[in-house]
Amino acid sequence: MSKIPVAILGATGMVGQRLIQCLADHPWFSIGALCASERSAGQAYGQACVWRLPGDPPPGIEEMVVQACDPQVLSGMRVALSAMPSSAARAVEAEFRASGFAVVSNASAYREDPSVPLVIPEVNAAHLGLIKRQPGQGYIVTNPNCCAIPLALALAPLHQQFGVKAVCVSTWQAVSGAGYPGESAWDMVGNVHPHPGNEEEKLAIEPQKLLGTMDKSADFAVSARCVRVATADGHLVSAQVRTERPCSPEQAIQAWRSFETGLDLPSLPKPLFHVLERRDRPQPRLDIGRGQGMAVSIGRVEQCPVMGLKFYALTHNTVRGAAGAAVANLELLRDRGLLDVR
């Protein structure tokens, strides 16, 4: 089958560059257009931005001419992946939707919209039914916050088998999560910076939306504390979980290892969860590459004297937590026959 051409919105940023990597050799999709701000439009991609990821850009990318984020100039395309800043995404993504595009967004602009699916394929694929409630011929689908993703993935098997009642979570978030140039070196070198934006607010609502139904969020509270640390990539999450029915560490490990999604999408790793036995794991430097950056590494699964269960979870924040999550949602849409835009 011929590949579906995809426009990447916000292609010059770090998540945009990760999207380029994800689509470069994808079996289902091709890069149809690289779109960015008016400042970059009209330039060759290699002139419009500096490649910030390891290695070189995929062949031919640097020569592609950057287009404006305007659906009217993208002839023959009806699918867009958005890596735009949230401040710009609200207006631009709405314009693409109104022009009949399927927009899969990494931005937070529409995550709280009750008609827009917030989706992790392994967790709540059925929520794609919400797109029928959106106006016009196009639609928007979003992926969650970069820390809500590992938390919701780790909680999903536990909620399915034991019911989640309450969660206390702390995060140690890599500097790449702030984009480029991100946090200042003065804030980060030899330091821990307890102010990664509004991450705590997102963690307080997104896991429940993911683990609930289309019309009602799951009924448990999340108390979150988030800090930025001087690590390049990889968000480490510490969770203390109270469940409705007793859940021992051994039962939790079995729930993760036996978790089945029934999905066969190119980006989804098998296995999804890697439960590590060493007490000093998972670590960003050693473990974020599992499943080509899409797997969840879990460690220190222990009984918690306060909440019942505690563990660490780690994912690659710009792959599983951002670009890879958006591509996985795009694959899910194609798998469900939803890219023949209404």
Side-chain angles (χ1 to χ4, degrees):
M1 294 186 296
S2 59
K3 296 184 180 183
I4 299 171
V6 178
I8 299 177
L9 313 181
T12 57
M14 289 190 69
V15 175
Q17 294 182 17
R18 285 287 186 195
L19 286 173
I20 290 171
Q21 280 189 331
C22 290
L23 292 188
D25 297 307
H26 199 281
W28 296 352
F29 307 112
S30 64
I31 299 173
L34 302 176
C35 303
S37 66
E38 294 290 346
R39 182 181 63 254
S40 299
Q43 300 182 59
Y45 186 80
Q47 295 175 322
C49 73
V50 177
W51 189 255
R52 297 290 178 186
L53 302 182
D56 296 322
I61 291 296
E62 290 183 298
E63 292 73 38
M64 290 185 68
V65 175
V66 177
Q67 306 290 320
C69 291
D70 180 355
Q72 305 308 317
V73 303
L74 301 180
S75 176
M77 277 173 274
R78 284 294 178 267
V79 179
L81 282 169
S82 175
M84 301 189 71
S86 292
S87 56
R90 177 162 291 276
V92 172
E93 291 175 5
E95 184 179 1
F96 271 76
R97 174 173 62 180
S99 297
F101 273 74
V103 181
V104 180
S105 177
N106 181 69
S108 63
Y110 286 96
R111 287 179 189 160
E112 295 185 41
D113 188 314
S115 69
V116 174
L118 181 72
V119 174
I120 300 173
E122 299 99 323
V123 174
N124 64 329
H127 289 199
L128 290 180
L130 287 171
I131 64 177
K132 298 177 182 178
R133 303 179 187 179
Q134 296 182 42
Q137 296 299 308
Y139 57 81
I140 298 171
V141 172
T142 61
N143 57 265
N145 167 266
C146 49
C147 282
I149 288 176
L151 179 61
L153 281 167
L155 291 178
L158 305 180
H159 191 54
Q160 186 181 83
Q161 294 192 30
F162 306 100
V164 172
K165 192 172 182 180
V167 182
C168 288
V169 59
S170 298
T171 71
W172 292 266
Q173 299 180 214
V175 292
S176 60
Y180 185 89
E183 309 256 3
S184 74
W186 180 258
D187 285 335
M188 294 311 306
V189 174
N191 196 20
V192 172
H193 191 206
H195 183 63
N198 58 345
E199 305 288 277
E200 292 174 2
E201 290 83 354
K202 296 172 184 176
L203 273 178
I205 58 174
E206 291 185 14
Q208 299 94 317
K209 187 173 181 180
L210 290 158
L211 295 174
T213 67
M214 286 197 302
D215 296 304
K216 185 179 180 181
S217 294
D219 186 19
F220 60 84
V222 177
S223 176
R225 278 289 188 244
C226 302
V227 301
R228 190 81 67 195
V229 296
T231 299
D233 294 303
H235 287 358
L236 181 66
V237 172
S238 167
Q240 292 79 46
V241 182
R242 179 178 294 132
T243 54
E244 294 175 357
R245 296 172 293 282
C247 174
S248 68
E250 295 75 20
Q251 289 173 311
I253 291 171
Q254 179 59 28
W256 287 315
R257 287 178 170 164
S258 63
F259 186 61
E260 294 289 342
T261 67
L263 296 173
D264 186 18
L265 304 179
S267 293
L268 298 190
K270 294 181 180 179
L272 170 59
F273 298 108
H274 293 256
V275 181
L276 310 178
E277 295 183 0
R278 289 185 49 147
R279 285 185 58 81
D280 61 349
R281 303 287 280 274
Q283 297 180 25
R285 182 180 296 171
L286 302 177
D287 297 308
I288 58 172
R290 296 178 186 277
Q292 297 185 326
M294 291 291 285
V296 183
S297 295
I298 293 178
R300 297 287 302 278
V301 186
E302 299 167 355
Q303 183 177 4
C304 175
V306 176
M307 298 291 282
L309 180 73
K310 59 184 178 180
F311 57 87
Y312 288 98
L314 172 75
T315 55
H316 195 306
N317 57 293
T318 62
V319 181
R320 183 78 216 206
V327 171
N329 280 345
L330 185 61
E331 293 170 354
L332 180 63
L333 288 166
R334 188 261 196 189
D335 184 67
R336 300 296 166 91
L338 295 171
L339 290 184
D340 296 327
V341 183
R342 298 170 295 166

